[in-house]
Amino acid sequence: MATTTSVASLYEDVVADLIPYYDNFVLLPNQALIQNSYNISGGLGNQMNIPVTNAWTTGSTVLPHAKIIDTGGDDQADPVNDFDPQSVTLSTTKKGTGTLVANEDFEDAGYNSVRNSVVTRLSRAIAQSTDREGFTVIGSNGTTAMTNLTDVTVGMDGIQAAAAVGDCELSYVMSPEAMAYATKREPTVKMFEQINRDQIEMVATLRNGFKQVHPTFIRAIATKEGIGQTSAASLAYFSTSVANLRAANAPTDGFGFYAAVVTPGAELALAKELNGVGGISSGSIGSVAQDLANDALLKGLIGQAIGCTFVRSNNTPTGLASS
């Protein structure tokens, strides 16, 4: 039987566990993916301006007695490396979810089962909403769900917008300095006991947001949506993305790598490419050993060779038309 004690204990446990569970489930933000992270919970408003410095240019060869800074362009080539910072505006949005717990649930499933279910549902729901918005902003610099490859605003490798191959999904290769993240409200739980319905109403909310800071430090890789498609991901796509980021002087992480976020379909395609013959695990000892070798290569040798570390996510944009 549900008691006032069990209801109060449920609230205390969910409050205590929501943030740790959320942090465990959410991929963004992550210092390996986004280094620019801000907490604006103590200020007013739901926006912040992030300063962005302008790019520097190569210096010139200067003759003796010639002007080093020649704004007139008479006898010495420019450029002048003036400091001219701009800014981008990051806005936070509210994410939320809720659940109804009947008092019969305590009686039939037991306190621990109810507690674990509530914490998992609330934390995973707001974690997924955060990741989905973040990966949408990475590709389009907006929070509106993308429906077409033409919605992608960053450089693209792999399938192009007019390829007409059906629906596509996106993977990303990016510099950790490409994006910014801000938190306005940490994951929070509120509870209300509905006596007339003999149930408990619990909601979890948070306020956070993302913004492109350096769009040229992001590459999107479009591949055919689904598992085992013909127009699948390839190591060549990721190598091309890394080369484009290097050409843009995009900074790497402390180990010299970019972050590559891949879909499950892209992960399978890369594993098949590593196999050489397209084999995947069938449950035998030999196949498991092959999968372990693939995993080691994907995380180690191949990552070092290409110049990026791989992370899998189910929350990158999907269902994007290619025509």
Side-chain angles (χ1 to χ4, degrees), residues 3 19 26 55 60 88 105 110 115 121 143 152-154 164 190 209 215 217 269-270 279 288 320:
T3 64
I19 292 180
V26 74
S60 303
V88 296
D105 295 335
R115 172 202 168 277
R121 289 171 183 273
T143 58
V152 179
T153 61
V154 297
K190 293 182 179 180
F217 294 174
L270 295 177
V288 172
L320 305 182

Side-chain angles (χ1 to χ4, degrees), residues 95-172:
K95 287 87 174 172
T97 188
T99 184
L100 297 176
V101 181
N103 278 315
E104 290 81 2
D105 295 335
F106 290 103
E107 300 167 354
D108 298 341
Y111 175 82
N112 288 333
S113 179
V114 172
R115 172 202 168 277
N116 293 338
S117 177
V118 170
V119 172
T120 301
R121 289 171 183 273
L122 296 182
S123 58
R124 296 196 74 159
I126 58 177
Q128 188 169 46
S129 63
T130 294
D131 279 346
R132 285 187 174 178
E133 179 180 290
F135 285 121
T136 298
V137 176
I138 289 174
S140 67
N141 204 30
T143 58
T144 302
M146 291 184 281
T147 59
N148 196 296
L149 289 181
T150 57
D151 297 331
V152 179
T153 61
V154 297
M156 288 183 61
D157 302 302
I159 295 174
Q160 297 302 304
V165 296
D167 288 346
C168 295
E169 58 190 16
L170 292 183
S171 297
Y172 294 112

Side-chain angles (χ1 to χ4, degrees), residues 23-51:
D23 289 340
N24 184 57
F25 290 130
V26 74
L27 181 60
L28 298 174
N30 182 313
Q31 284 293 309
L33 299 175
I34 302 177
Q35 290 186 357
N36 305 306
S37 183
Y38 307 92
N39 188 329
I40 60 173
S41 58
L44 300 177
N46 70 332
Q47 295 181 334
M48 66 171 296
N49 290 329
I50 302 170

